[in-house]
Amino acid sequence: MRRGENLFKHGLTGTPEHRAWCGMMTRCYWAKLGDRNYDLYQGAGIVGAERWHDFMKFLADMGNKPSPKHSLDRYPNPAGNYEPGNCRWATSKEQANNWATRNRKLTFRGET
């Protein structure tokens, strides 16, 4: 898919959901070697579901963002692809708790 393809057919360009979709597509396909985060997404082989190359199908699967505080999160597998069953709308706190590369579970007084 080329950047800019089919962006104006749906009338939702610029909506929060469309901006999240564009961010996903940029991270997975449109970034260039040396871009910030290239190695974490495109360079690591993270892709979006083929179905989600169509924004309207992405929106049908994900629905509208619950609030401005939510953004697209790969969950339950943060190292997995952007696809149905592995994505949700999450707050920054929920995303921080899902960030497997930095999280360490601690047990204190019997609670983990």
Side-chain angles (χ1 to χ4, degrees):
M1 163 171 279
R2 292 186 320 263
R3 188 175 197 155
E5 191 174 307
N6 293 324
L7 293 183
F8 300 102
K9 291 183 180 181
H10 46 68
L12 298 171
T13 300
T15 62
E17 296 79 12
H18 188 259
R19 287 194 308 272
W21 177 83
C22 286
M24 173 195 70
M25 294 298 288
T26 298
R27 290 187 293 276
C28 293
Y29 303 106
W30 302 331
K32 293 183 172 66
L33 186 61
D35 283 357
R36 186 176 74 109
N37 293 330
Y38 174 89
D39 292 337
L40 298 175
Y41 296 95
Q42 191 172 346
I46 304 296
V47 298
E50 183 75 27
R51 169 179 172 75
W52 284 4
H53 291 195
D54 179 322
F55 168 68
M56 292 305 292
K57 291 178 182 172
F58 165 82
L59 185 60
D61 290 344
M62 289 299 299
N64 292 327
K65 284 177 60 170
S67 81
K69 293 182 178 184
H70 286 79
S71 60
L72 189 60
D73 183 33
R74 287 177 291 146
Y75 177 86
N77 180 7
N81 292 323
Y82 288 96
E83 57 193 1
N86 195 47
C87 285
R88 65 179 177 175
W89 295 116
T91 64
S92 57
K93 182 177 181 179
E94 290 168 326
Q95 288 195 25
N97 288 334
N98 186 36
W99 201 14
T101 58
R102 290 198 176 175
N103 283 350
R104 301 287 185 263
K105 292 191 177 190
L106 303 175
T107 302
F108 180 71
R109 295 185 182 167
E111 286 190 48
T112 300

